[in-house]
Amino acid sequence: MKNNLLVSTIIGLNVFAMSQVTHASSTEKPQVPAWTGAALAETISAMPKGDIQRGQVVAKDMMCIACHGEQGKPYTMNFPSIQGQTQEYTMKTMIDYREGRRWESYKRADVMVKIAENMTDQQIADVSSFYAAQTTTAWQKPTATYEQAKALVTTGDMSRMVMACAGCHGAEGQGNGVTPALAGQIPQYFVRTMQAFHEKDRVNDVNGMMDQFTKGLTPEEIQAIADYYASLMC
Amino acid sequence: MSQLENKTFDQKVTRRDLIKLFGASAVAASGIFGASSQAFAKSAAHVVILGGGIGGSTFAKYLRFADADVKITIIEQYPEYITCLRSNDVIAGMHTLDELTFNLETIKSKYHVNVVIDTVVGADFNKKTVRTAKGDNFSYDKLVVSPGIDFKFEDYEGYDAELAATDFPHAYKAGPQTLKLREQMLNMRQGGTAIIAPPQNPFRCPPGPYERASFFAEYFKKHNPTAKLIVLDPKERFTKDVPFKKAWERLYGYKSDNALIEWVAGSEGGRVVRLDAATKTVETDGGDFKADLINIIPNQRAGVLAQKLGLTNASGWCSIDRYSMESELHKEVYVLGDSAIADAMPKSGFSANSQAKVCAKAVADTLKGKNLEDPVYANVCYSLAGENYGVSIAAVYEVRDGLIQPKGESAGVSEVTELTAQPILESVYQKNWQRQFVKDVFS
Ligand SMILES: Cc1cc2nc3c(=O)[nH]c(=O)nc-3n(C[C@H](O)[C@H](O)[C@H](O)COP(=O)(O)OP(=O)(O)OC[C@H]3O[C@@H](n4cnc5c(N)ncnc54)[C@H](O)[C@@H]3O)c2cc1C
């Protein structure tokens, strides 16, 4: 009878990861208004102050650590790193899940939606401050495309309306307020997220900016940028 | 092999041919069903499957994976199949029956399986033929039987199939009775009493009655807080009882003064022996219980078809060879799913699916003259103790000492922890599992 939960968790997750095909769910995506910059700023500033110690307890109680790791660095490539993520961005993410604004149809959101629905503002603030207090470490070593990606990240390509990622996400990929840190991010998650933005599967950003500013990127470039950020730490 | 089958398999079959073969009404009634258009060699073996539920449908698909050349026919009595899986959710209002309704169209077209909608009425194991209600005969090389369960109404004085179809639904085969039970739950008077009486072991979906009880309690908590649910059980324990009872404590005040749910064990007089339909009273070993709603889930045995074909032993179930699922009573006849005696494996859709895969490989290997390999079976039963509260049991099985038994330390039940997220996550896995599972069976 040992590790019973793990057995069922693994089996559950396996199935979960396999179910890529969209299927009408019994609970449909709620209609939630898109964020405006002002509404988002107001919502975030209305959140309670977070407590790191309490946040560590929440991370355990809500089993965040089961997928995202003890300090927010996941054990596998399947889940995003939230180690050192800005407090504001993690809070925004949890609010988006809770309200159904983030509800990707590639079926990875189910777990997060249910967890978020069962969390209070205080718990969200606490756990977000706990992860923000962790140091970001790199996920992988730099790859051959590092320099090419760095050029795109720092200067963009105006001929294709590709904005410099660093402009919002920070010179070191450290993030800024509600704009997420990207340093140390799992490349598979990064690529999947970009696809979701481009396919409008993910629309929880302000003014659809992520789609607009990155539409011109080729799949190879997205991969290169993913590998670049995965190799950063801060 | 009859002319009918040669024609069905050896030629591209047109609608006109089908009408000639099956009669116009059959073609009209079966609509998109009917013969597969795939051409098979005359010498190819013919595997006939009786029952296109979880076991039969999975078997057809996986036999096709194992053998591209074999001829496969499913004979299923109904054009549509409603899964029992998640049918308790329909009672709770989380799903509709439509969402649980499937057919064999994909099995037919994608896996080149001949689908016949007809009721099997008999078989001749010497001549290796089966007979249907419409009068057709099918000859087989291997026969696979997965007919589900039958109810032992005779164990309850005053209860019968007719009452089940009207005012006292068991709702243990998904369909109209499921909706009827929901309606009864919704319409129960404020402060009323409901009774759920689970069956004696062994029975289909061991956690099913307790999941259902949980849903009743959850509904009462929201809409009828002075109502009460009494579970009258002939048993002393039930599957996952530790996490279930913990959930009932946490969610429905189980064991407290204002508990929404009460559970009576067999030794406390939980075994129901009689139903008085007129006064809505059940008699148990411990006395009479009067209620507003009575849901007796009767004791069970192998499906009627398995009994009729002489595949059951004295226990009422079908004994099988653990390596292949072949009947111990009749060679070249295999029994899958709820009807089969699979020792430690529970009677679940997951088990039926797992057994079907083992059996498909065994049948394919046997047809090719290969030796059988040691089988590995698996089961996971996810249940809900509330909409956002999952509990599970899982095991991988092997054949040991002649019995199907859990392998190593693979068996386990959800641990009771203080972690808030644990039951929430299990409820998500449950939904994801179901979504994936029905795809594995029907598409
Ligand atoms: C409320 C409830 C909840 C459940 N939840 C789960 C769950 O979450 N997970 C899980 O794994 N299992 C669950 N189950 C159990 C699962 O439904 C069964 O174990 C499974 O269906 C067994 O498969 P089978 O092939 O043996 O029988 P069935 O799936 O019942 O298939 C039998 C088929 O044979 C056909 N048939 C019978 N007689 C004839 C005949 N004479 N001629 C032609 N066709 C015939 C029937 O029409 C039927 O389609 C649940 C059951 C219930 C009642």
Side-chain angles (χ1 to χ4, degrees), chain B residues 51 53-55 76-77 81 84 120 146 148 172 204-205 337-338 348-350:
Chain B
I54 305 288
E76 162 58 48
Q77 59 188 337
Y81 178 85
C84 285
V120 179
S146 193
Y172 228 60
R204 153 181 286 186
C205 193
D338 291 348
S348 71
F350 199 126

mmCIF file with all atom_site columns, all heavy atoms in Angstrom, chain B residues 51 53-55 76-77 81 84 120 146 148 172 204-205 337-338 348-350, ligand 1:
data_model
loop_
_atom_site.group_PDB
_atom_site.id
_atom_site.type_symbol
_atom_site.label_atom_id
_atom_site.label_alt_id
_atom_site.label_comp_id
_atom_site.label_asym_id
_atom_site.label_entity_id
_atom_site.label_seq_id
_atom_site.pdbx_PDB_ins_code
_atom_site.Cartn_x
_atom_site.Cartn_y
_atom_site.Cartn_z
_atom_site.occupancy
_atom_site.B_iso_or_equiv
_atom_site.pdbx_formal_charge
_atom_site.auth_seq_id
_atom_site.auth_comp_id
_atom_site.auth_asym_id
_atom_site.auth_atom_id
_atom_site.pdbx_PDB_model_num
ATOM   1   N N   . GLY B 1 51  ? -22.030 -9.091  -27.911 1.00 0.00 ? 51  GLY B N   1
ATOM   2   C CA  . GLY B 1 51  ? -22.070 -7.965  -26.984 1.00 0.00 ? 51  GLY B CA  1
ATOM   3   C C   . GLY B 1 51  ? -21.048 -6.914  -27.371 1.00 0.00 ? 51  GLY B C   1
ATOM   4   O O   . GLY B 1 51  ? -19.851 -7.179  -27.346 1.00 0.00 ? 51  GLY B O   1
ATOM   5   N N   . GLY B 1 53  ? -20.428 -4.010  -25.852 1.00 0.00 ? 53  GLY B N   1
ATOM   6   C CA  . GLY B 1 53  ? -20.214 -3.041  -24.764 1.00 0.00 ? 53  GLY B CA  1
ATOM   7   C C   . GLY B 1 53  ? -18.734 -2.771  -24.597 1.00 0.00 ? 53  GLY B C   1
ATOM   8   O O   . GLY B 1 53  ? -17.969 -2.820  -25.570 1.00 0.00 ? 53  GLY B O   1
ATOM   9   N N   . ILE B 1 54  ? -18.314 -2.532  -23.362 1.00 0.00 ? 54  ILE B N   1
ATOM   10  C CA  . ILE B 1 54  ? -16.917 -2.177  -23.124 1.00 0.00 ? 54  ILE B CA  1
ATOM   11  C C   . ILE B 1 54  ? -15.991 -3.327  -23.534 1.00 0.00 ? 54  ILE B C   1
ATOM   12  O O   . ILE B 1 54  ? -15.032 -3.137  -24.281 1.00 0.00 ? 54  ILE B O   1
ATOM   13  C CB  . ILE B 1 54  ? -16.673 -1.849  -21.628 1.00 0.00 ? 54  ILE B CB  1
ATOM   14  C CG1 . ILE B 1 54  ? -17.619 -0.750  -21.141 1.00 0.00 ? 54  ILE B CG1 1
ATOM   15  C CG2 . ILE B 1 54  ? -15.208 -1.494  -21.392 1.00 0.00 ? 54  ILE B CG2 1
ATOM   16  C CD1 . ILE B 1 54  ? -17.346 0.614   -21.630 1.00 0.00 ? 54  ILE B CD1 1
ATOM   17  N N   . GLY B 1 55  ? -16.298 -4.535  -23.070 1.00 0.00 ? 55  GLY B N   1
ATOM   18  C CA  . GLY B 1 55  ? -15.426 -5.666  -23.367 1.00 0.00 ? 55  GLY B CA  1
ATOM   19  C C   . GLY B 1 55  ? -15.414 -5.996  -24.851 1.00 0.00 ? 55  GLY B C   1
ATOM   20  O O   . GLY B 1 55  ? -14.346 -6.104  -25.466 1.00 0.00 ? 55  GLY B O   1
ATOM   21  N N   . GLU B 1 76  ? -24.515 -7.121  -31.517 1.00 0.00 ? 76  GLU B N   1
ATOM   22  C CA  . GLU B 1 76  ? -24.930 -6.328  -30.352 1.00 0.00 ? 76  GLU B CA  1
ATOM   23  C C   . GLU B 1 76  ? -26.424 -6.044  -30.481 1.00 0.00 ? 76  GLU B C   1
ATOM   24  O O   . GLU B 1 76  ? -26.903 -5.689  -31.546 1.00 0.00 ? 76  GLU B O   1
ATOM   25  C CB  . GLU B 1 76  ? -24.118 -5.024  -30.307 1.00 0.00 ? 76  GLU B CB  1
ATOM   26  C CG  . GLU B 1 76  ? -24.689 -3.898  -29.447 1.00 0.00 ? 76  GLU B CG  1
ATOM   27  C CD  . GLU B 1 76  ? -24.911 -4.267  -27.964 1.00 0.00 ? 76  GLU B CD  1
ATOM   28  O OE1 . GLU B 1 76  ? -24.007 -4.832  -27.338 1.00 0.00 ? 76  GLU B OE1 1
ATOM   29  O OE2 . GLU B 1 76  ? -26.031 -3.981  -27.455 1.00 0.00 ? 76  GLU B OE2 1
ATOM   30  N N   . GLN B 1 77  ? -27.147 -6.170  -29.378 1.00 0.00 ? 77  GLN B N   1
ATOM   31  C CA  . GLN B 1 77  ? -28.607 -6.062  -29.473 1.00 0.00 ? 77  GLN B CA  1
ATOM   32  C C   . GLN B 1 77  ? -29.105 -4.626  -29.689 1.00 0.00 ? 77  GLN B C   1
ATOM   33  O O   . GLN B 1 77  ? -30.152 -4.429  -30.285 1.00 0.00 ? 77  GLN B O   1
ATOM   34  C CB  . GLN B 1 77  ? -29.264 -6.683  -28.238 1.00 0.00 ? 77  GLN B CB  1
ATOM   35  C CG  . GLN B 1 77  ? -28.854 -6.059  -26.919 1.00 0.00 ? 77  GLN B CG  1
ATOM   36  C CD  . GLN B 1 77  ? -29.380 -6.831  -25.707 1.00 0.00 ? 77  GLN B CD  1
ATOM   37  O OE1 . GLN B 1 77  ? -30.350 -7.551  -25.814 1.00 0.00 ? 77  GLN B OE1 1
ATOM   38  N NE2 . GLN B 1 77  ? -28.754 -6.658  -24.568 1.00 0.00 ? 77  GLN B NE2 1
ATOM   39  N N   . TYR B 1 81  ? -25.062 2.440   -27.331 1.00 0.00 ? 81  TYR B N   1
ATOM   40  C CA  . TYR B 1 81  ? -24.592 1.954   -26.032 1.00 0.00 ? 81  TYR B CA  1
ATOM   41  C C   . TYR B 1 81  ? -24.420 3.160   -25.107 1.00 0.00 ? 81  TYR B C   1
ATOM   42  O O   . TYR B 1 81  ? -23.755 4.127   -25.459 1.00 0.00 ? 81  TYR B O   1
ATOM   43  C CB  . TYR B 1 81  ? -23.249 1.240   -26.207 1.00 0.00 ? 81  TYR B CB  1
ATOM   44  C CG  . TYR B 1 81  ? -22.640 0.744   -24.909 1.00 0.00 ? 81  TYR B CG  1
ATOM   45  C CD1 . TYR B 1 81  ? -23.002 -0.488  -24.369 1.00 0.00 ? 81  TYR B CD1 1
ATOM   46  C CD2 . TYR B 1 81  ? -21.702 1.511   -24.218 1.00 0.00 ? 81  TYR B CD2 1
ATOM   47  C CE1 . TYR B 1 81  ? -22.447 -0.953  -23.176 1.00 0.00 ? 81  TYR B CE1 1
ATOM   48  C CE2 . TYR B 1 81  ? -21.134 1.053   -23.024 1.00 0.00 ? 81  TYR B CE2 1
ATOM   49  C CZ  . TYR B 1 81  ? -21.512 -0.176  -22.510 1.00 0.00 ? 81  TYR B CZ  1
ATOM   50  O OH  . TYR B 1 81  ? -20.964 -0.627  -21.339 1.00 0.00 ? 81  TYR B OH  1
ATOM   51  N N   . CYS B 1 84  ? -22.245 2.960   -18.474 1.00 0.00 ? 84  CYS B N   1
ATOM   52  C CA  . CYS B 1 84  ? -22.544 3.101   -17.044 1.00 0.00 ? 84  CYS B CA  1
ATOM   53  C C   . CYS B 1 84  ? -21.539 4.047   -16.411 1.00 0.00 ? 84  CYS B C   1
ATOM   54  O O   . CYS B 1 84  ? -21.852 4.748   -15.453 1.00 0.00 ? 84  CYS B O   1
ATOM   55  C CB  . CYS B 1 84  ? -22.457 1.750   -16.348 1.00 0.00 ? 84  CYS B CB  1
ATOM   56  S SG  . CYS B 1 84  ? -23.868 0.688   -16.683 1.00 0.00 ? 84  CYS B SG  1
ATOM   57  N N   . VAL B 1 120 ? -28.628 -12.063 -29.758 1.00 0.00 ? 120 VAL B N   1
ATOM   58  C CA  . VAL B 1 120 ? -28.196 -13.453 -29.860 1.00 0.00 ? 120 VAL B CA  1
ATOM   59  C C   . VAL B 1 120 ? -29.110 -14.298 -28.977 1.00 0.00 ? 120 VAL B C   1
ATOM   60  O O   . VAL B 1 120 ? -29.355 -13.964 -27.821 1.00 0.00 ? 120 VAL B O   1
ATOM   61  C CB  . VAL B 1 120 ? -26.735 -13.606 -29.397 1.00 0.00 ? 120 VAL B CB  1
ATOM   62  C CG1 . VAL B 1 120 ? -26.295 -15.062 -29.473 1.00 0.00 ? 120 VAL B CG1 1
ATOM   63  C CG2 . VAL B 1 120 ? -25.828 -12.718 -30.242 1.00 0.00 ? 120 VAL B CG2 1
ATOM   64  N N   . SER B 1 146 ? -19.225 -11.125 -24.168 1.00 0.00 ? 146 SER B N   1
ATOM   65  C CA  . SER B 1 146 ? -19.060 -10.077 -23.147 1.00 0.00 ? 146 SER B CA  1
ATOM   66  C C   . SER B 1 146 ? -20.419 -9.417  -22.884 1.00 0.00 ? 146 SER B C   1
ATOM   67  O O   . SER B 1 146 ? -20.663 -8.277  -23.268 1.00 0.00 ? 146 SER B O   1
ATOM   68  C CB  . SER B 1 146 ? -18.026 -9.052  -23.618 1.00 0.00 ? 146 SER B CB  1
ATOM   69  O OG  . SER B 1 146 ? -17.628 -8.222  -22.547 1.00 0.00 ? 146 SER B OG  1
ATOM   70  N N   . GLY B 1 148 ? -22.117 -8.556  -20.070 1.00 0.00 ? 148 GLY B N   1
ATOM   71  C CA  . GLY B 1 148 ? -22.449 -7.759  -18.890 1.00 0.00 ? 148 GLY B CA  1
ATOM   72  C C   . GLY B 1 148 ? -23.084 -8.602  -17.788 1.00 0.00 ? 148 GLY B C   1
ATOM   73  O O   . GLY B 1 148 ? -22.744 -9.767  -17.609 1.00 0.00 ? 148 GLY B O   1
ATOM   74  N N   . TYR B 1 172 ? -28.760 0.473   -12.520 1.00 0.00 ? 172 TYR B N   1
ATOM   75  C CA  . TYR B 1 172 ? -27.413 -0.090  -12.572 1.00 0.00 ? 172 TYR B CA  1
ATOM   76  C C   . TYR B 1 172 ? -27.046 -0.578  -13.970 1.00 0.00 ? 172 TYR B C   1
ATOM   77  O O   . TYR B 1 172 ? -26.027 -1.220  -14.188 1.00 0.00 ? 172 TYR B O   1
ATOM   78  C CB  . TYR B 1 172 ? -27.224 -1.166  -11.498 1.00 0.00 ? 172 TYR B CB  1
ATOM   79  C CG  . TYR B 1 172 ? -25.932 -0.925  -10.750 1.00 0.00 ? 172 TYR B CG  1
ATOM   80  C CD1 . TYR B 1 172 ? -25.717 0.262   -10.047 1.00 0.00 ? 172 TYR B CD1 1
ATOM   81  C CD2 . TYR B 1 172 ? -24.896 -1.856  -10.790 1.00 0.00 ? 172 TYR B CD2 1
ATOM   82  C CE1 . TYR B 1 172 ? -24.512 0.505   -9.401  1.00 0.00 ? 172 TYR B CE1 1
ATOM   83  C CE2 . TYR B 1 172 ? -23.690 -1.613  -10.140 1.00 0.00 ? 172 TYR B CE2 1
ATOM   84  C CZ  . TYR B 1 172 ? -23.510 -0.432  -9.447  1.00 0.00 ? 172 TYR B CZ  1
ATOM   85  O OH  . TYR B 1 172 ? -22.310 -0.192  -8.806  1.00 0.00 ? 172 TYR B OH  1
ATOM   86  N N   . ARG B 1 204 ? -20.911 -5.607  -10.318 1.00 0.00 ? 204 ARG B N   1
ATOM   87  C CA  . ARG B 1 204 ? -20.383 -4.607  -11.255 1.00 0.00 ? 204 ARG B CA  1
ATOM   88  C C   . ARG B 1 204 ? -20.067 -3.308  -10.516 1.00 0.00 ? 204 ARG B C   1
ATOM   89  O O   . ARG B 1 204 ? -20.860 -2.838  -9.720  1.00 0.00 ? 204 ARG B O   1
ATOM   90  C CB  . ARG B 1 204 ? -21.443 -4.382  -12.336 1.00 0.00 ? 204 ARG B CB  1
ATOM   91  C CG  . ARG B 1 204 ? -21.422 -3.018  -12.995 1.00 0.00 ? 204 ARG B CG  1
ATOM   92  C CD  . ARG B 1 204 ? -22.516 -2.863  -14.028 1.00 0.00 ? 204 ARG B CD  1
ATOM   93  N NE  . ARG B 1 204 ? -22.174 -3.620  -15.229 1.00 0.00 ? 204 ARG B NE  1
ATOM   94  C CZ  . ARG B 1 204 ? -22.872 -3.587  -16.352 1.00 0.00 ? 204 ARG B CZ  1
ATOM   95  N NH1 . ARG B 1 204 ? -23.965 -2.836  -16.437 1.00 0.00 ? 204 ARG B NH1 1
ATOM   96  N NH2 . ARG B 1 204 ? -22.506 -4.298  -17.385 1.00 0.00 ? 204 ARG B NH2 1
ATOM   97  N N   . CYS B 1 205 ? -18.928 -2.748  -10.813 1.00 0.00 ? 205 CYS B N   1
ATOM   98  C CA  . CYS B 1 205 ? -18.525 -1.439  -10.277 1.00 0.00 ? 205 CYS B CA  1
ATOM   99  C C   . CYS B 1 205 ? -18.677 -1.352  -8.751  1.00 0.00 ? 205 CYS B C   1
ATOM   100 O O   . CYS B 1 205 ? -19.587 -0.690  -8.242  1.00 0.00 ? 205 CYS B O   1
ATOM   101 C CB  . CYS B 1 205 ? -19.306 -0.315  -10.935 1.00 0.00 ? 205 CYS B CB  1
ATOM   102 S SG  . CYS B 1 205 ? -18.591 1.314   -10.587 1.00 0.00 ? 205 CYS B SG  1
ATOM   103 N N   . GLY B 1 337 ? -15.051 -9.407  -19.261 1.00 0.00 ? 337 GLY B N   1
ATOM   104 C CA  . GLY B 1 337 ? -15.784 -8.377  -18.526 1.00 0.00 ? 337 GLY B CA  1
ATOM   105 C C   . GLY B 1 337 ? -16.508 -8.893  -17.302 1.00 0.00 ? 337 GLY B C   1
ATOM   106 O O   . GLY B 1 337 ? -16.100 -9.854  -16.657 1.00 0.00 ? 337 GLY B O   1
ATOM   107 N N   . ASP B 1 338 ? -17.628 -8.224  -17.002 1.00 0.00 ? 338 ASP B N   1
ATOM   108 C CA  . ASP B 1 338 ? -18.367 -8.489  -15.770 1.00 0.00 ? 338 ASP B CA  1
ATOM   109 C C   . ASP B 1 338 ? -18.726 -9.963  -15.596 1.00 0.00 ? 338 ASP B C   1
ATOM   110 O O   . ASP B 1 338 ? -18.747 -10.478 -14.480 1.00 0.00 ? 338 ASP B O   1
ATOM   111 C CB  . ASP B 1 338 ? -19.678 -7.679  -15.755 1.00 0.00 ? 338 ASP B CB  1
ATOM   112 C CG  . ASP B 1 338 ? -19.431 -6.189  -15.618 1.00 0.00 ? 338 ASP B CG  1
ATOM   113 O OD1 . ASP B 1 338 ? -18.295 -5.785  -15.303 1.00 0.00 ? 338 ASP B OD1 1
ATOM   114 O OD2 . ASP B 1 338 ? -20.396 -5.420  -15.834 1.00 0.00 ? 338 ASP B OD2 1
ATOM   115 N N   . SER B 1 348 ? -15.191 -4.017  -13.532 1.00 0.00 ? 348 SER B N   1
ATOM   116 C CA  . SER B 1 348 ? -15.236 -2.619  -13.957 1.00 0.00 ? 348 SER B CA  1
ATOM   117 C C   . SER B 1 348 ? -15.053 -2.535  -15.455 1.00 0.00 ? 348 SER B C   1
ATOM   118 O O   . SER B 1 348 ? -14.630 -3.501  -16.093 1.00 0.00 ? 348 SER B O   1
ATOM   119 C CB  . SER B 1 348 ? -14.109 -1.836  -13.287 1.00 0.00 ? 348 SER B CB  1
ATOM   120 O OG  . SER B 1 348 ? -12.861 -2.221  -13.846 1.00 0.00 ? 348 SER B OG  1
ATOM   121 N N   . GLY B 1 349 ? -15.358 -1.384  -16.019 1.00 0.00 ? 349 GLY B N   1
ATOM   122 C CA  . GLY B 1 349 ? -15.099 -1.149  -17.429 1.00 0.00 ? 349 GLY B CA  1
ATOM   123 C C   . GLY B 1 349 ? -13.610 -1.237  -17.717 1.00 0.00 ? 349 GLY B C   1
ATOM   124 O O   . GLY B 1 349 ? -13.191 -1.799  -18.729 1.00 0.00 ? 349 GLY B O   1
ATOM   125 N N   . PHE B 1 350 ? -12.824 -0.682  -16.816 1.00 0.00 ? 350 PHE B N   1
ATOM   126 C CA  . PHE B 1 350 ? -11.367 -0.724  -16.985 1.00 0.00 ? 350 PHE B CA  1
ATOM   127 C C   . PHE B 1 350 ? -10.907 -2.172  -17.054 1.00 0.00 ? 350 PHE B C   1
ATOM   128 O O   . PHE B 1 350 ? -10.113 -2.548  -17.925 1.00 0.00 ? 350 PHE B O   1
ATOM   129 C CB  . PHE B 1 350 ? -10.697 0.013   -15.815 1.00 0.00 ? 350 PHE B CB  1
ATOM   130 C CG  . PHE B 1 350 ? -9.279  0.442   -16.067 1.00 0.00 ? 350 PHE B CG  1
ATOM   131 C CD1 . PHE B 1 350 ? -8.898  1.770   -15.894 1.00 0.00 ? 350 PHE B CD1 1
ATOM   132 C CD2 . PHE B 1 350 ? -8.307  -0.468  -16.455 1.00 0.00 ? 350 PHE B CD2 1
ATOM   133 C CE1 . PHE B 1 350 ? -7.593  2.174   -16.115 1.00 0.00 ? 350 PHE B CE1 1
ATOM   134 C CE2 . PHE B 1 350 ? -6.995  -0.066  -16.677 1.00 0.00 ? 350 PHE B CE2 1
ATOM   135 C CZ  . PHE B 1 350 ? -6.634  1.257   -16.497 1.00 0.00 ? 350 PHE B CZ  1
HETATM 136 C C1  . LIG C 2 .   ? -23.248 3.316   -11.976 1.00 0.00 ? 1   LIG C C1  1
HETATM 137 C C2  . LIG C 2 .   ? -22.070 2.642   -12.607 1.00 0.00 ? 1   LIG C C2  1
HETATM 138 C C3  . LIG C 2 .   ? -20.865 3.336   -12.721 1.00 0.00 ? 1   LIG C C3  1
HETATM 139 C C4  . LIG C 2 .   ? -19.765 2.731   -13.290 1.00 0.00 ? 1   LIG C C4  1
HETATM 140 N N1  . LIG C 2 .   ? -18.597 3.447   -13.375 1.00 0.00 ? 1   LIG C N1  1
HETATM 141 C C5  . LIG C 2 .   ? -17.492 2.857   -13.847 1.00 0.00 ? 1   LIG C C5  1
HETATM 142 C C6  . LIG C 2 .   ? -16.259 3.569   -13.897 1.00 0.00 ? 1   LIG C C6  1
HETATM 143 O O1  . LIG C 2 .   ? -16.166 4.739   -13.532 1.00 0.00 ? 1   LIG C O1  1
HETATM 144 N N2  . LIG C 2 .   ? -15.173 2.922   -14.353 1.00 0.00 ? 1   LIG C N2  1
HETATM 145 C C7  . LIG C 2 .   ? -15.221 1.631   -14.786 1.00 0.00 ? 1   LIG C C7  1
HETATM 146 O O2  . LIG C 2 .   ? -14.199 1.110   -15.196 1.00 0.00 ? 1   LIG C O2  1
HETATM 147 N N3  . LIG C 2 .   ? -16.376 0.928   -14.775 1.00 0.00 ? 1   LIG C N3  1
HETATM 148 C C8  . LIG C 2 .   ? -17.511 1.507   -14.311 1.00 0.00 ? 1   LIG C C8  1
HETATM 149 N N4  . LIG C 2 .   ? -18.685 0.790   -14.288 1.00 0.00 ? 1   LIG C N4  1
HETATM 150 C C9  . LIG C 2 .   ? -18.683 -0.642  -14.669 1.00 0.00 ? 1   LIG C C9  1
HETATM 151 C C10 . LIG C 2 .   ? -18.770 -0.889  -16.172 1.00 0.00 ? 1   LIG C C10 1
HETATM 152 O O3  . LIG C 2 .   ? -19.884 -0.241  -16.721 1.00 0.00 ? 1   LIG C O3  1
HETATM 153 C C11 . LIG C 2 .   ? -18.868 -2.373  -16.456 1.00 0.00 ? 1   LIG C C11 1
HETATM 154 O O4  . LIG C 2 .   ? -17.944 -3.075  -15.671 1.00 0.00 ? 1   LIG C O4  1
HETATM 155 C C12 . LIG C 2 .   ? -18.586 -2.670  -17.935 1.00 0.00 ? 1   LIG C C12 1
HETATM 156 O O5  . LIG C 2 .   ? -19.585 -2.101  -18.718 1.00 0.00 ? 1   LIG C O5  1
HETATM 157 C C13 . LIG C 2 .   ? -18.465 -4.159  -18.201 1.00 0.00 ? 1   LIG C C13 1
HETATM 158 O O6  . LIG C 2 .   ? -18.280 -4.409  -19.569 1.00 0.00 ? 1   LIG C O6  1
HETATM 159 P P1  . LIG C 2 .   ? -18.911 -5.703  -20.273 1.00 0.00 ? 1   LIG C P1  1
HETATM 160 O O7  . LIG C 2 .   ? -18.377 -5.732  -21.638 1.00 0.00 ? 1   LIG C O7  1
HETATM 161 O O8  . LIG C 2 .   ? -18.711 -6.858  -19.375 1.00 0.00 ? 1   LIG C O8  1
HETATM 162 O O9  . LIG C 2 .   ? -20.476 -5.416  -20.253 1.00 0.00 ? 1   LIG C O9  1
HETATM 163 P P2  . LIG C 2 .   ? -21.307 -4.230  -20.920 1.00 0.00 ? 1   LIG C P2  1
HETATM 164 O O10 . LIG C 2 .   ? -20.468 -3.024  -21.106 1.00 0.00 ? 1   LIG C O10 1
HETATM 165 O O11 . LIG C 2 .   ? -22.546 -4.103  -20.130 1.00 0.00 ? 1   LIG C O11 1
HETATM 166 O O12 . LIG C 2 .   ? -21.651 -4.764  -22.367 1.00 0.00 ? 1   LIG C O12 1
HETATM 167 C C14 . LIG C 2 .   ? -22.535 -5.835  -22.575 1.00 0.00 ? 1   LIG C C14 1
HETATM 168 C C15 . LIG C 2 .   ? -23.135 -5.677  -23.947 1.00 0.00 ? 1   LIG C C15 1
HETATM 169 O O13 . LIG C 2 .   ? -23.692 -6.897  -24.361 1.00 0.00 ? 1   LIG C O13 1
HETATM 170 C C16 . LIG C 2 .   ? -24.910 -6.643  -25.010 1.00 0.00 ? 1   LIG C C16 1
HETATM 171 N N5  . LIG C 2 .   ? -25.709 -7.875  -24.949 1.00 0.00 ? 1   LIG C N5  1
HETATM 172 C C17 . LIG C 2 .   ? -26.126 -8.538  -23.847 1.00 0.00 ? 1   LIG C C17 1
HETATM 173 N N6  . LIG C 2 .   ? -26.854 -9.616  -24.194 1.00 0.00 ? 1   LIG C N6  1
HETATM 174 C C18 . LIG C 2 .   ? -26.895 -9.659  -25.556 1.00 0.00 ? 1   LIG C C18 1
HETATM 175 C C19 . LIG C 2 .   ? -27.490 -10.523 -26.506 1.00 0.00 ? 1   LIG C C19 1
HETATM 176 N N7  . LIG C 2 .   ? -28.195 -11.582 -26.135 1.00 0.00 ? 1   LIG C N7  1
HETATM 177 N N8  . LIG C 2 .   ? -27.331 -10.250 -27.816 1.00 0.00 ? 1   LIG C N8  1
HETATM 178 C C20 . LIG C 2 .   ? -26.621 -9.169  -28.208 1.00 0.00 ? 1   LIG C C20 1
HETATM 179 N N9  . LIG C 2 .   ? -26.038 -8.314  -27.359 1.00 0.00 ? 1   LIG C N9  1
HETATM 180 C C21 . LIG C 2 .   ? -26.171 -8.544  -26.040 1.00 0.00 ? 1   LIG C C21 1
HETATM 181 C C22 . LIG C 2 .   ? -25.492 -5.485  -24.213 1.00 0.00 ? 1   LIG C C22 1
HETATM 182 O O14 . LIG C 2 .   ? -26.483 -4.804  -24.930 1.00 0.00 ? 1   LIG C O14 1
HETATM 183 C C23 . LIG C 2 .   ? -24.259 -4.650  -23.970 1.00 0.00 ? 1   LIG C C23 1
HETATM 184 O O15 . LIG C 2 .   ? -24.022 -3.702  -24.982 1.00 0.00 ? 1   LIG C O15 1
HETATM 185 C C24 . LIG C 2 .   ? -19.842 1.397   -13.755 1.00 0.00 ? 1   LIG C C24 1
HETATM 186 C C25 . LIG C 2 .   ? -21.051 0.705   -13.658 1.00 0.00 ? 1   LIG C C25 1
HETATM 187 C C26 . LIG C 2 .   ? -22.157 1.309   -13.093 1.00 0.00 ? 1   LIG C C26 1
HETATM 188 C C27 . LIG C 2 .   ? -23.436 0.562   -12.995 1.00 0.00 ? 1   LIG C C27 1
#
